[in-house]
Amino acid sequence: PKPPSPPAPGAPVSRILFLTDLHWDHDYLEGMDPDCADPLCCRQGSGLPPASRPGAGYWGEYSKCDLPLRTLESLLSGLGPAGPFDMVYWTGDIPAHDVWHQTRQDQLRALTTVTALVRKFLGPVPVYPAVGNHESTPVNSFPPPFIEGNHSSRWLYEAMAKAWEPWLPAEALRTLRIGGFYALSPYPGLRLISLNMNFCSRENFWLLINSTDPAGQLQWLVGGLQAAEDRGDKVHIIGHIPPGHCLKSWSWNYYRIVARYENTLAAQFFGHTHVDEFEVFYDEETLSRPLAVAFLAPSATTYIGLNPGYRVYQIDGNYSGSSHIVLDHETYILNLTQANTPGAIPHWQLLYKARETYGLPNTLPTAWHNLVYRMRGDMQLFQTFWFLYHKGHPPSEPCGTPCRLATLCAQLSARADSPALCRHLMLDGSLPEAQSLWPRPLFC
C-alpha cells in the first residue's frame, strides 16, 4: 500500500459538482395531499388533503413526494455561490417514483428534459452521468447485454448515448450503448469509470440468469484499473447503487477489486440511498486496515421527508503528480420550511463542510473509520451526523441505540451482507440488538 501524499500548499484544487437522485415528477401539483394512499403523493390523482392538514408546498414537500421541475431549475440556476465547477458527476435516477404506470415514453421524456436542463445551466462544464435504477421501465429491469429484441435495454442506452453525446467521447458512447457503462479521461493522469450498478442490484430479477458478472462489467473494470496502474494514472469510479447495497456475490468481488487496486483508485462516488453517508473498505486479511471509502451523496429529491440537496467535492487538482483524492466536501440544501413560506424566494444554502464539521484531519479512509468510532462514544457528535444524514430534516422520532448502532455499522460496511465487518464496533455487547436491523431499510 502507498497512501497518497497530501498536496503541497497552493496546489490546484478541482471542484466537482455531484448530482444524484433528481426524481422529477411531471405530475407534481401544489396543494395536493402529501399523505395519500399511493406510494407517491403530492401529485395529480393524490386528491386534496383533509381541512386539518396543509397540501403540498410549491417547491416540494416533506413526505413521500418527488420534485416539480421548477425546483430542479432553481437548484441548477442557483449553483453560482457553490461554483465554479471543473466537471459534474451525475449518478442517475431521473424519473419519479410513480413506477406503477411509467412507460418507455415517460422515461425518455424525463431523460431528455432533465438532460436539457442540466446542459442549459451548466453550459460548457463537462458532465459525466451514470445510469440509475429508475431510468428503465419496469423499474430495476436491466437485462444483461446478451438479451436481445424488445426485452433488451437498447431503447434506453441508445437514447442516453444520443442525449449525452456532447459530453462523452466515441469509445465511451460505444460501451454505453452496449451495457450502460463507460470510461474516459477528464484530465491527463485521471481516468473516470462510470459503472452501471444495476448489474449488481438486488431488485433486478434479470440477474437470476447470472448474478456474478452479468455484463462482463467487473472483468472490464479490472482491465481498466490494470491499464491505469500500468500507466501510473489515478481512477475515479462513479455509480448509482453503492457496493454495500449490492447482491452479495457481486459486492464481495467488487470489494476484492478495490483492495487489489488500492493505490490506483483515488475516489468512489455513489448515490441511491437519498441520505448523506459513506462506506469504508478494509483489507480482507484482518478487516481492520481502512483502505478506501465510497462517498454516498444525498439526493436532490425530498423523497422521503428530506430537504432537496446536492454535493460539491474538492479534489486534488489537475497537475502532474496529483493524487486526485477527495480533500473535502460540501453539502447544499434548500430549506423547504423557509422556501414554501408565502412570498419567499428559494435560497440554496451551505449546510456543512465535512472536515470542519466533523473535525477530520483529512478525508482519507482512516479518518472516516475513526469518525465512526468517535460517534459510537460521543452522542452529540452522532446527533450532528444524524441531522446531516437527513439533510437537516431528521425524523421526529429519536434514533435510539439499535438505530444508532445499525447506522454506524452501515458506514463500515462496503461489502453486502457482512455484519462481521462491524462486529468489532459492537464490543459493548449491543451487537445482537443492532444485528436485528441488518440490513437496514433503504430508499431506492
Side-chain angles (χ1 to χ4, degrees), residues 248-365:
K248 184 173 181 177
S249 57
W250 200 101
S251 177
W252 285 49
N253 282 327
Y254 180 85
Y255 201 88
R256 175 164 288 183
I257 292 168
V258 169
R260 164 60 183 84
Y261 292 99
E262 167 185 359
N263 296 341
T264 297
L265 189 52
Q268 303 173 69
F269 308 93
F270 300 92
H272 183 63
T273 68
H274 293 198
V275 288
D276 185 344
E277 51 184 335
F278 54 91
E279 293 179 351
V280 181
F281 295 73
Y282 295 88
D283 70 289
E284 288 195 298
E285 292 293 323
T286 67
L287 295 179
S288 62
R289 183 178 66 85
L291 57 82
V293 61
F295 294 99
L296 281 55
S299 62
T301 188
T302 56
Y303 190 94
I304 299 175
L306 303 167
N307 284 309
Y310 65 89
R311 167 69 52 80
V312 178
Y313 291 99
Q314 297 178 36
I315 307 289
D316 194 8
N318 180 22
Y319 61 93
S320 179
S322 171
S323 67
H324 297 287
I325 60 170
V326 172
L327 303 176
D328 204 352
H329 65 66
E330 307 163 1
T331 297
Y332 294 78
I333 63 161
L334 176 66
N335 185 311
L336 281 182
T337 303
Q338 297 172 1
N340 285 330
T341 302
I345 297 173
H347 172 61
W348 294 82
Q349 62 196 59
L350 174 66
L351 180 64
Y352 80 105
K353 296 181 179 180
R355 287 188 60 183
E356 176 184 61
T357 300
Y358 293 128
L360 302 175
N362 52 52
T363 50
L364 297 177

Side-chain angles (χ1 to χ4, degrees), residues 20 25 139 209 307 312 315 318 354 406 417:
T20 190
D25 186 357
V139 65
I209 299 173
N307 284 309
V312 178
I315 307 289
N318 180 22
D417 300 326

Side-chain angles (χ1 to χ4, degrees), residues 129-133 135 141-145 153 156-157 160 175-176 178-182 193-201 204 207 213-215 217-218 220 237-241 246 250 270:
V131 183
N133 63 298
E135 266 71 285
S141 178
F142 289 84
S153 292
L156 179 61
Y157 299 150
M160 287 175 168
T175 56
L176 175 65
I178 295 171
F181 50 86
Y182 63 86
I193 297 179
S194 176
L195 295 178
N196 185 349
M197 300 298 284
N198 294 292
F199 292 128
C200 82
S201 171
N204 184 4
L207 302 192
D213 192 15
Q217 184 179 217
L218 286 178
W220 171 85
I237 289 178
I238 63 173
H240 183 68
I241 300 172
C246 289
W250 200 101
F270 300 92

